[in-house]
Amino acid sequence: MIRSVILGSGAAKPRTLVTNDDLAKRVDTSDEWIVQRTGIRQRYIAESDETTADLGERAARAAMADAGVEIADIDLIILATSTPNNTFPATAVDIQHRLGMKHGAAFDMQAVCSGFVFALTTADTYIKSGQAKRILVIGSETFSRILDWEDRTTCVLFGDGAGAVVVEAQEGVGMSNDRGILTSHLRSDGSHKDKLFVDGGPSTTQTVGHLRMQGREVFKHAVAMITDVIEAAFDATGLSADDIDWFIPHQANRRIIDASAKKLNIASQKVVMTVEQHGNTSAASIPLAIDVARNDGRLKKGDLVLLEAMGGGFTWGAVLVRW
Ligand code: UT7
């Protein structure tokens, strides 16, 4: 059986760090409110010369170096983003060009905060069907560009950044101790589309628009959706919370992560929490968290990792992967 094995990972952060106190000088908020309600202490914000393509390219190069592969070894690039450099062409194609790749294909994937889980699942499908051997999966975002900086209910929550992994087709025996992606589950429900959206677009306002969110409404659905899709991943593999080495969720809010882990009986020491350092970086949050757990020595080859995300759409999904 072909498995999609993660060969390496990398990340890129913008130069500029913005603390909660910095934001309190711009809008009516406080470090205390932001930390208490979200767990966020700081975020990185891209300067005008740091675009989604720049950050994505840096993360991709770091992931390829970590994986020990060259661009010639890659046959597909999938970029998860909701903040592309342009409406078209796909920012993935720009990154493909910057990396000097003239073969294969590149495309963007848009599932907002669930983008990395959707992109990784898509990569797994390409690999399992034999259409690609090595795929760069990138999550890169510059949400600071679509924030309404006068709206304290949203502008304090998000940050910019990018992360990437290289996925390779390898033979497995079809058991849960195989390395690689063991199962993945995606969901969406457009009836919730007005709870978290951008109020602009080419076909409607012909503007880029700003992020709008009914935070409490999103919060209300998050834990149930997250736990439902993770239970589907456990059912599909016969694995349980006890088998997990690391839970690496989308980093939107500490309270959502804590409540999800509690409901699933995942021990708190297994939870990789980076929301305090990065804020919510949408499709970049999981690969940024992977990078932190790799660099501090927690995440090692052979570990069983549970990835999960939920975001605008709503979209949500989970991936179980043996590192
Ligand atoms: O990544 C995609 C998925 N997105 C999410 O998962 C986000 C989900 N939602 C959340 O994380 C939370 O709902 C928020 C962090 C956005 C908000 O936390 P909350 O506990 O749901 O607060 P709330 O919206 O109920 O607001 C409580 C109060 C309100 O004041 P009143 O009406 O009680 O007087 C807000 O106006 O806090 C006020 N408030 C603020 N105060 C200081 C809202 N934003 C701020 C702020 N600083 N930045």
Side-chain angles (χ1 to χ4, degrees):
M1 174 176 191
I2 302 175
R3 291 286 196 193
S4 307
V5 173
I6 298 184
L7 284 189
S9 60
K13 288 178 297 208
R15 297 190 292 275
T16 306
L17 190 140
V18 176
T19 64
N20 293 344
D21 285 335
D22 293 333
L23 290 180
K25 291 177 197 140
R26 295 176 72 155
V27 288
D28 180 17
T29 190
S30 65
D31 178 56
E32 192 194 0
W33 189 95
I34 301 170
V35 172
Q36 218 173 62
R37 301 286 176 136
T38 72
I40 299 167
R41 293 184 183 274
Q42 59 173 50
R43 75 284 294 141
Y44 294 84
I45 299 293
E47 299 288 341
S48 56
D49 64 340
E50 294 175 305
T51 66
T52 293
D54 294 319
L55 296 169
E57 177 194 354
R58 280 173 47 200
R61 288 188 189 279
M64 286 195 296
D66 184 49
V69 302
E70 307 281 330
I71 192 64
D73 303 321
I74 303 290
D75 36 33
L76 181 65
I77 298 173
I78 308 175
L79 169 69
T81 190
S82 298
T83 45
N85 275 32
N86 297 86
T87 302
F88 78 79
T91 304
V93 174
D94 188 353
I95 294 174
Q96 179 192 25
H97 173 62
R98 290 158 179 247
L99 295 175
M101 178 176 164
K102 295 216 181 285
H103 60 280
F107 60 83
D108 286 1
M109 174 140 282
Q110 219 275 48
V112 205
C113 296
S114 310
F116 189 75
V117 166
F118 274 61
L120 200 56
T121 300
T122 306
D124 186 39
T125 307
Y126 271 83
I127 282 182
K128 288 214 169 99
S129 69
Q131 292 195 68
K133 288 224 152 31
R134 262 179 234 100
I135 304 179
L136 247 177
V137 180
I138 309 167
S140 183
E141 302 276 20
T142 46
F143 259 50
S144 62
R145 308 282 212 266
I146 53 165
L147 294 175
D148 174 351
W149 285 99
E150 316 245 292
D151 176 10
R152 68 173 184 172
T153 70
T154 53
C155 75
V156 303
L157 305 174
F158 295 89
D160 302 331
V165 295
V166 176
V167 187
E168 181 183 71
Q170 290 186 10
E171 275 300 321
V173 294
M175 306 285 281
S176 63
N177 55 355
D178 279 351
R179 282 191 71 204
I181 294 174
L182 303 177
T183 193
S184 59
H185 301 263
L186 302 182
R187 305 264 192 278
S188 62
D189 180 352
S191 67
H192 298 289
K193 68 183 173 60
D194 296 335
K195 298 189 176 88
L196 172 50
F197 69 106
V198 170
D199 62 4
S203 188
T204 49
T205 58
Q206 298 89 55
T207 62
V208 173
H210 291 111
L211 182 148
R212 305 291 174 206
M213 177 165 72
Q214 299 170 35
R216 218 176 300 181
E217 281 297 308
V218 179
F219 198 106
K220 217 168 73 187
H221 289 86
V223 177
M225 287 176 162
I226 290 164
T227 51
D228 173 63
V229 80
I230 290 173
E231 272 156 10
F234 286 154
D235 286 349
T237 53
L239 294 165
S240 73
D242 287 343
D243 300 309
I244 300 296
D245 293 298
W246 303 112
F247 177 43
I248 310 188
H250 168 54
Q251 309 281 325
N253 187 317
R254 171 181 277 277
R255 288 150 61 209
I256 294 174
I257 296 172
D258 284 344
S260 307
K262 191 165 173 227
K263 199 165 166 204
L264 290 157
N265 288 318
I266 298 173
S268 59
Q269 64 270 23
K270 294 181 177 180
V271 180
V272 176
M273 186 88 71
T274 55
V275 68
E276 67 280 7
Q277 314 173 33
H278 302 145
N280 180 348
T281 56
S282 184
S285 86
I286 291 174
L288 274 165
I290 287 172
D291 191 63
V292 169
R294 288 278 320 282
N295 286 338
D296 65 20
R298 272 180 290 177
L299 177 50
K300 294 184 290 297
K301 197 169 165 179
D303 285 351
L304 184 65
V305 182
L306 173 62
L307 310 176
E308 156 281 305
M310 183 267 180
F314 293 149
T315 54
W316 64 108
V319 174
L320 259 176
V321 56
R322 191 168 298 282
W323 212 259

